[in-house]
Amino acid sequence: MLMNEQTKLTKDHYRIFGLSWAGWVFDFYDLVLFTFLVSQLQTDLHFSAELLSLCLGISLFATGLGGIIFGVLGDKFGRKTVLQWTIIIYSLGTLLSAFSWSFYSLVIFRFITGLGVGGEWATGQIYINETFPDKLRAKFGGFMQSGAPVGVILASIVGGLISPIIGWRMTFLVSIIPALTVIYIRRYLNESDVWLQNKDQYVKKSALQEFKELLSQEYRKIFLISLILCIFGMSAYWYTYSWLPTYLAKERGLAAIGSTFGIILIQCGDFTGYTTFGYVAEKLGRRPAFTIYSFIMGISISMITICWNQIDAVPDLIFVFMFLTGFGTGFFGGFGALFSELFPTKIRNTGVGTVFNLARGIQFITPLTITFVATYFDLSYGIAIAAIFAILVGIWIWVFPETKGTVINELDQNV
């Protein structure tokens, strides 16, 4: 009996979830930590805001490339093996960032970090979605996504409160700790039995064959509509978060502690949104859940940016909409389950990894766009662009078939 056919969760299920979740926590921590060190890097290495925006953009581009590369490798070498590789690579990139001596060295090290970050999400999500029962797939996919706000909260504490004391180099240096999770993955995790059952049929294919199949007539439509949905979702997220700490501190006059509190409050909303999204998706279906959450995000972003002065008279409303901005981001908790229910095992890691991370890689223009808009207006208008993309998520999801209740094993029988 396959793990996803078992009626009760076992210790193997919880191990797979726990270590995939931990990988995603530190994945996001390593990626977002950079945004909290901008001021120190500007002062110490004399970088302009434009150069730092370019550096962040390049690291986002690297996540796209990493997602594509490790997506293929995950189908070829297995979920467990590639999960270890990605964690080691993004930990190494962040460690090397501590020794940056110039802009170009920093770019190279952040590029390495981005490669590992890009590969980890899809591998962890596929790991969970292939091994958990069909009725729990959306819930635990959402639970795994909750690692992102935990990672951001950790980054905000370390980057916002601790790094001014220990310095940016030491902050990067201590980030090698996540690599220790690889020891536990190697020792305690079992490989996805769905992948093992199908590996002899699929592992002989080359990377080119994987992509040719992904873009074949049979899967081309699924790939393209999924990519568009992810681009809308990623744009909503990164237009919100890439310059949010700077926006709260410089344009809204919040001190370091106040800005950090605001980020933590939003991430608490994120965590709540991710952990509840799966329940809503199982109850109402994937499409209604995406629409509800993305619309909440879009409206709330507008409130804390272009409508800030209107609601500032009631300070509590600022905090409410900060929380709701994060809560609406919960629709990200549905990507893993939705895409796993669309792609069969033979191209699942390739398809999901390519879609999610190609969309994230495209976000390399986001920090630059916001910087450009802020030059002529202010940061609030740049960040407010996210509201448009969030609303588009809630509309575009309706071009998909409803995948609630899909039996993953049957996807393999139909190809």
Side-chain angles (χ1 to χ4, degrees):
M1 178 184 291
L2 296 173
M3 289 183 68
N4 63 28
E5 295 173 336
Q6 296 175 6
T7 56
K8 293 184 178 180
L9 297 182
T10 66
K11 61 181 180 181
D12 289 329
H13 286 107
Y14 289 113
R15 283 173 178 169
I16 288 172
F17 168 75
L19 288 170
S20 296
W21 181 84
W24 185 231
V25 168
F26 291 115
D27 177 312
F28 229 76
Y29 164 81
D30 280 348
L31 183 63
V32 175
L33 178 64
F34 182 84
T35 65
F36 291 93
L37 304 178
V38 167
S39 296
Q40 292 183 57
L41 289 166
Q42 278 185 297
T43 301
D44 203 13
L45 298 179
H46 310 293
F47 294 160
S48 66
E50 289 76 17
L51 283 179
L52 289 169
S53 293
L54 179 61
C55 187
L56 177 58
I58 290 173
S59 66
L60 289 175
F61 172 79
T63 64
L65 184 60
I68 294 171
I69 293 171
F70 289 108
V72 174
L73 294 177
D75 284 333
K76 192 171 183 65
F77 295 102
R79 316 324 189 193
K80 174 182 175 178
T81 299
V82 172
L83 183 63
Q84 296 174 77
W85 292 351
T86 58
I87 293 173
I88 290 172
I89 289 171
Y90 72 62
S91 298
L92 177 63
T94 303
L95 173 66
L96 290 173
S97 298
F99 302 97
S100 300
W101 63 90
S102 67
F103 173 73
Y104 296 105
S105 64
L106 182 62
V107 165
I108 291 172
F109 299 148
R110 298 312 295 170
F111 186 87
I112 293 172
T113 303
L115 287 176
V117 166
E120 197 279 337
W121 180 86
T123 305
Q125 279 283 356
I126 298 303
Y127 214 160
I128 289 173
N129 291 322
E130 286 182 347
T131 55
F132 277 69
D134 300 323
K135 64 180 180 180
L136 297 177
R137 188 181 304 125
K139 293 178 183 177
F140 278 86
F143 290 162
M144 180 192 160
Q145 196 69 31
S146 71
V150 174
V152 175
I153 290 174
L154 184 60
S156 67
I157 294 172
V158 174
L161 300 179
I162 298 177
S163 70
I165 300 172
I166 65 175
W168 63 270
R169 292 189 186 274
M170 184 59 68
T171 301
F172 278 133
L173 196 62
V174 298
S175 298
I176 192 64
I177 293 174
L180 298 177
T181 60
V182 170
I183 298 172
Y184 294 93
I185 292 172
R186 180 177 292 275
R187 183 172 180 178
Y188 293 110
L189 289 197
N190 296 321
E191 181 57 85
S192 162
D193 48 8
V194 171
W195 179 80
L196 288 172
Q197 179 177 264
N198 293 279
K199 71 172 185 175
D200 292 337
Q201 182 179 353
Y202 304 142
V203 297
K204 295 180 181 179
K205 294 188 298 181
S206 66
L208 182 59
Q209 288 174 314
E210 289 270 351
F211 287 114
K212 285 179 67 175
E213 187 151 19
L214 183 61
L215 298 175
S216 66
Q217 185 175 359
E218 186 174 6
Y219 302 113
R220 187 184 306 137
K221 179 181 177 182
I222 295 174
F223 171 72
L224 290 176
I225 64 174
S226 299
L227 179 60
I228 292 171
L229 180 71
C230 245
I231 289 174
F232 289 158
M234 286 290 179
S235 298
Y237 186 92
W238 287 106
Y239 271 96
T240 301
Y241 291 105
S242 60
W243 280 100
L244 191 61
T246 303
Y247 165 71
L248 293 176
K250 292 189 175 180
E251 294 205 358
R252 298 309 175 189
L254 298 183
I257 294 179
S259 178
T260 301
F261 173 75
I263 297 297
I264 292 176
L265 182 63
I266 291 174
Q267 296 310 312
C268 288
D270 274 18
F271 185 87
T272 307
Y274 292 140
T275 53
T276 59
F277 182 90
Y279 292 96
V280 177
E282 293 294 354
K283 184 73 173 179
L284 303 180
R286 308 325 191 210
R287 294 180 297 183
F290 266 92
T291 299
I292 291 169
Y293 279 72
S294 63
F295 274 37
I296 289 174
M297 182 184 184
I299 293 170
S300 300
I301 291 169
S302 299
M303 293 297 104
I304 65 171
T305 52
I306 57 178
C307 296
W308 179 288
N309 292 332
Q310 284 69 37
I311 64 173
D312 190 34
V314 186
D316 288 348
L317 280 180
I318 296 290
F319 298 123
V320 168
F321 284 116
M322 281 186 177
F323 180 86
L324 289 176
T325 294
F327 180 83
T329 310
F331 70 79
F332 268 81
F335 281 138
L338 175 67
F339 297 152
S340 294
E341 292 162 349
L342 292 170
F343 293 105
T345 302
K346 62 181 179 179
I347 58 169
R348 182 170 293 125
N349 215 76
T350 301
V352 177
T354 300
V355 164
F356 189 85
N357 289 292
L358 187 58
R360 183 159 59 176
I362 291 172
Q363 301 309 310
F364 77 91
I365 65 172
T366 298
L368 300 174
T369 302
I370 293 178
T371 302
F372 175 79
V373 172
T375 301
Y376 294 95
F377 301 97
D378 55 48
L379 274 176
S380 64
Y381 285 95
I383 296 173
I385 296 173
I388 299 173
F389 286 110
I391 297 299
L392 287 174
V393 168
I395 297 172
W396 186 254
I397 188 64
W398 291 92
V399 307
F400 287 81
E402 179 55 64
T403 60
K404 174 186 174 184
T406 297
V407 179
I408 276 184
N409 300 340
E410 292 181 356
L411 292 177
D412 299 322
Q413 298 167 8
N414 295 331
V415 297

